[in-house]
Amino acid sequence: EDQVTQSPEALRLQEGESSSLNCSYTVSGLRGLFWYRQDPGKGPEFLFTLYSAGEEKEKERLKATLTKKESFLHITAPKPEDSATYLCAVLRESSASKIIFGSGTRLSIRP
Amino acid sequence: NAGVTQTPKFQVLKTGQSMTLQCAQDMNHNSMYWYRQDPGMGLRLIYYSASEGTTDKGEVPNGYNVSRLNKREFSLRLESAAPSQTSVYFCASRMLAGGTDTQYFGPGTRLTVL
């Protein structure tokens, strides 16, 4: 069965303390992997799309990487405003339209 | 350019009542989606429309119907609401252009069924 698993469920960091969030997937052929940020009471906000193993994308303090089994969202020197839930989702080769989401990682950055 | 808009923002229904959630996008995207989000379960796909005139079931379609009214609008209907449908509902549209695949989400509708 196709599955997307995110870990940890929750992560509390001190401001400036770098870390990584994990998204592991088991799908029959990956077409693309997405990262989103979601603030409380709002809809998800697109961050990155990765298409092939070895690909990396960066935006400010965030860097997303992709291997054949998982993706990492690296957060360098985070600030309190980076606090949010980060969602990972995959698009399979077998279905060009259906996107499967993980349950997210709640990130909290303390000043 | 408003992006993806959803109405209403909040709704309380009694069991058995019906309602339609409205979604519209002004980005000329072909694909549109309806998700529900429950605590600890992430986003689950209810229905999607890959293009105007087509709709398909997602993971959790039971109890819902959809209409792709035109390229801009994609509505979700609950014919007979049940407490299990208490959730936050998100609409999204999807852009595929220049090798980039992006989904844009609306602000959500918070639905409570008593």
Side-chain angles (χ1 to χ4, degrees):
Chain A
E1 183 185 340
D2 295 331
Q3 205 164 8
V4 180
T5 304
Q6 291 190 246
S7 61
E9 285 188 17
L11 181 63
R12 295 185 70 186
L13 300 172
Q14 200 69 33
E15 184 173 0
E17 181 185 0
S18 302
S19 188
S20 296
L21 312 183
N22 178 263
C23 171
S24 64
Y25 59 91
T26 51
V27 296
S28 49
L30 180 73
R31 191 181 182 105
L33 185 142
F34 309 91
W35 282 100
Y36 296 86
R37 170 194 170 123
Q38 186 175 24
D39 293 301
K42 296 191 175 181
E45 176 188 344
F46 171 78
L47 291 173
F48 306 108
T49 308
L50 302 167
Y51 296 97
S52 57
E55 189 175 0
E56 299 182 351
K57 288 193 176 172
E58 288 189 64
K59 179 180 179 179
E60 296 180 358
R61 294 175 293 281
L62 300 175
K63 182 168 84 171
T65 61
L66 181 64
T67 72
K68 289 186 177 180
K69 293 183 178 180
E70 58 193 347
S71 177
F72 292 94
L73 185 64
H74 307 279
I75 301 176
T76 302
K79 298 182 178 182
E81 53 261 41
D82 294 320
S83 297
T85 294
Y86 290 85
L87 300 169
C88 165
V90 300
L91 181 65
R92 297 161 293 177
E93 284 285 351
S94 59
S95 172
S97 296
K98 286 186 182 178
I99 299 173
I100 303 173
F101 279 80
S103 55
T105 293
R106 291 190 311 279
L107 177 65
S108 175
I109 309 298
R110 295 169 292 186
Chain B
N1 189 335
V4 180
T5 57
Q6 292 183 238
T7 56
K9 286 189 169 54
F10 300 93
Q11 184 72 47
V12 179
L13 293 177
K14 294 181 180 178
T15 297
Q17 287 185 316
S18 62
M19 78 161 295
T20 299
L21 282 64
Q22 306 286 355
C23 174
Q25 52 97 5
D26 61 1
M27 296 173 283
N28 202 36
H29 294 166
N30 286 322
S31 300
M32 296 185 73
Y33 296 75
W34 275 107
Y35 295 92
R36 60 178 288 173
Q37 187 174 40
D38 302 295
M41 297 194 74
L43 286 154
R44 292 185 291 168
L45 181 62
I46 305 172
Y47 270 94
Y48 66 98
S49 171
S51 61
E52 187 178 353
T54 68
T55 60
D56 284 287
K57 295 179 181 179
E59 286 178 80
V60 289
N62 292 343
Y64 305 95
N65 283 302
V66 290
S67 295
R68 184 75 183 267
L69 304 169
N70 47 54
K71 193 170 186 178
R72 288 188 66 247
E73 298 171 287
F74 189 37
S75 62
L76 179 71
R77 183 158 178 85
L78 286 70
E79 291 292 349
S80 178
S84 60
Q85 294 178 305
T86 293
S87 189
V88 182
Y89 291 85
F90 289 102
C91 176
S93 70
R94 183 171 166 215
M95 178 184 78
L96 281 162
T100 300
D101 190 338
T102 309
Q103 265 194 325
Y104 297 88
F105 283 81
T109 295
R110 282 142 190 84
L111 175 66
T112 301
V113 183
L114 303 174

